[in-house]
Amino acid sequence: MISLRIFTAVTFALLLSLGSVSAAPKAAKVADLQGRGWVVRCNPEGTWVATWCDNGNGNYTLWAVVTAKGDKIEVDQSKDPGGMCWIPNRNTLFYCSAKPVSFESGIKYNAVTYYTWDVTNKKRKRVSELKDDLKTYIIDPV
C-alpha cells in the first residue's frame, strides 16, 4: 500500500508538470494607442480587444483593436466613460458612458447611456439610458 506521503509527493509533482505544459502564452503587443488604457476587455474568441484610453485632455476614446492585425477602430469618445463587456457569440461590444445632469432642484446625477457596437458593420446603436447617482456605471455594465 502506498503511503500518504508518497502519494502526496507524486500528485504534487504531476500537478507541477501539467501546470508548466499548459501555461498561458506571454503577453504580446497588439497595437499602439494614444494615451493610457484604463479598462481593457478581450472578446471570448480572442479576436478583438477594446479599451478606453485617456487622451490627457479630459476626454477618453473607446478603441476596438483586431488582435491578429493590430487594426484599430475608434468606437466612441466620452468625458466620463463607463464599463464594457463583449457579448458572447455575437461579435458585439456592450458599453456605456455618462454625462452630468442636474434636476431643476439642483440635485445632480449622471445620465448614463448604454450602447452596443457591432464589429461586422462597425456601427454603434443606443440601447437605453438611466439616471445613476452613485457612478456605478464605471464598473462592468452587466
Side-chain angles (χ1 to χ4, degrees):
M1 186 157 237
I2 293 180
S3 74
L4 180 60
R5 198 176 278 169
I6 294 174
F7 176 76
T8 304
V10 170
T11 303
F12 183 70
L14 183 61
L15 288 173
L16 281 177
S17 67
L18 289 175
S20 64
V21 170
S22 63
K26 291 184 177 180
K29 182 176 171 181
V30 176
D32 285 320
L33 300 172
Q34 296 293 327
R36 297 175 293 174
W38 288 100
V39 177
V40 179
R41 296 288 182 262
C42 184
N43 74 339
E45 296 77 26
T47 54
W48 287 86
V49 174
T51 184
W52 282 108
C53 286
D54 179 356
N55 298 334
N57 58 3
N59 291 315
Y60 295 82
T61 302
L62 178 58
W63 294 98
V65 180
V66 181
T67 56
K69 300 177 188 176
D71 295 342
K72 54 189 178 183
I73 300 163
E74 185 177 321
V75 176
D76 204 348
Q77 288 194 7
S78 175
K79 288 190 180 290
D80 200 357
M84 67 179 133
C85 65
W86 289 92
I87 299 173
N89 302 319
R90 296 220 15 233
N91 284 329
T92 302
L93 179 67
F94 181 66
Y95 71 98
C96 63
S97 64
K99 61 183 175 189
V101 180
S102 295
F103 287 111
E104 290 178 16
S105 64
I107 297 174
K108 295 180 181 180
Y109 68 93
N110 300 295
V112 183
T113 306
Y114 290 87
Y115 300 96
T116 57
W117 183 77
D118 188 319
V119 302
T120 307
N121 61 24
K122 315 291 188 282
K123 293 196 180 197
R124 178 180 77 162
K125 180 180 176 185
R126 184 180 175 277
V127 176
S128 71
E129 188 171 299
L130 61 86
K131 295 171 180 63
D132 184 349
D133 297 333
L134 304 174
K135 289 192 93 161
T136 58
Y137 61 89
I138 61 174
I139 58 176
D140 284 340
V142 291

